[in-house]
Amino acid sequence: MKLLEERIRKDGRIYPGNILKVDSFLNHQIDVSLIDKIGEAFYEAYKDCGITKILTIEASGIAIACSAARFFNVPLLFAKKSQSLNLGNDLYTTTVSSFTYKKDYQVTISKRYLSEKDHVLIVDDFLATGNAIIGLAELCRLAGAKVEGVGICIEKGFQQGGTQLREMGYSVTSLAVIESMTDDGEIVFKS
């Protein structure tokens, strides 16, 4: 998606350790027009897959997933990173390791909202090591739900996550794939 690549070049900031900050338009302050175009792109990629749920992990993927859910006209479900008292005990739970935060999270989804009847599109802002997506896919497996695809805004193609997910048999649609980036701000996108 050229529009997303251009926005990353214009407003993205690179920090040491292969950290790309896109918080001015994607995952802190949000450019709603851009998010709508992203949601529509995911819809076009998976509109014939019978999607019944859009799934993401809290928090950065929620706005993107919300836009996709609107195009599919299905509910958005997000895995919570902390268990609150009002969730109850009837949960699907798995552990996810965060590349960005260097921390493990127990993520949960209520069994009321995900079942074997669901055809799921997993959506997130970034794909690096693939841990979050693998965790969300595990929640789907526990529920008996079918993962129809994975929609990613920005894939760090130089890390193993995308390759691993594709080798596992998942259909992955990444709107911007970064082949390399340097601490001085150079970003090379896969053509």
Side-chain angles (χ1 to χ4, degrees):
M1 176 182 234
K2 290 294 179 202
L3 180 65
L4 181 56
E5 290 177 6
E6 289 168 8
R7 191 65 182 269
I8 293 166
R9 284 189 202 284
K10 178 178 175 255
D11 294 324
R13 297 181 323 270
I14 299 173
Y15 289 87
N18 289 320
I19 303 296
L20 173 62
K21 296 278 279 181
V22 291
D23 59 347
S24 68
F25 62 93
L26 190 63
N27 57 19
H28 190 56
Q29 174 175 277
I30 296 171
D31 180 335
V32 178
S33 295
L34 177 62
I35 294 294
D36 282 345
K37 288 180 176 67
I38 289 168
E40 184 176 17
F42 291 147
Y43 174 75
E44 289 300 321
Y46 294 102
K47 66 184 175 190
D48 297 325
C49 293
I51 302 297
T52 61
K53 293 269 170 67
I54 304 295
L55 177 63
T56 194
I57 194 165
E58 92 180 331
S60 295
I62 292 175
I64 299 153
C66 190
S67 176
R70 196 176 78 226
F71 280 96
F72 282 96
N73 196 30
V74 299
L76 155 63
L77 178 61
F78 66 90
K80 294 185 175 233
K81 290 182 181 174
S82 59
Q83 187 174 349
S84 62
L85 294 175
N86 63 355
L87 272 179
N89 294 322
D90 205 15
L91 305 169
Y92 299 115
T93 303
T94 193
T95 302
V96 171
S97 298
S98 170
F99 171 80
T100 307
Y101 293 100
K102 308 278 189 241
K103 182 177 176 180
D104 287 348
Y105 293 95
Q106 287 288 332
V107 295
T108 59
I109 291 177
S110 172
K111 290 182 178 180
R112 292 181 62 196
Y113 303 122
L114 191 63
S115 76
E116 68 281 348
K117 296 176 185 172
D118 285 310
H119 295 263
V120 177
L121 174 61
I122 297 173
V123 172
D124 210 355
D125 58 343
F126 273 96
L127 174 57
T129 62
N131 292 332
I133 304 303
I134 290 169
L136 293 173
E138 172 63 9
L139 293 173
C140 290
R141 187 194 66 75
L142 292 170
K146 184 171 190 321
V147 176
E148 296 290 349
V150 177
I152 300 296
C153 292
I154 303 168
E155 178 181 337
K156 293 179 178 177
F158 55 89
Q159 291 182 288
Q160 81 276 6
T163 300
Q164 181 181 6
L165 289 170
R166 289 175 182 97
E167 287 174 354
M168 293 170 72
Y170 293 107
S171 168
V172 179
T173 299
S174 298
L175 302 181
V177 179
I178 298 173
E179 284 191 349
S180 65
M181 58 186 199
T182 62
D183 289 346
D184 65 357
E186 182 183 347
I187 299 174
V188 176
F189 291 98
K190 182 178 179 180
S191 44

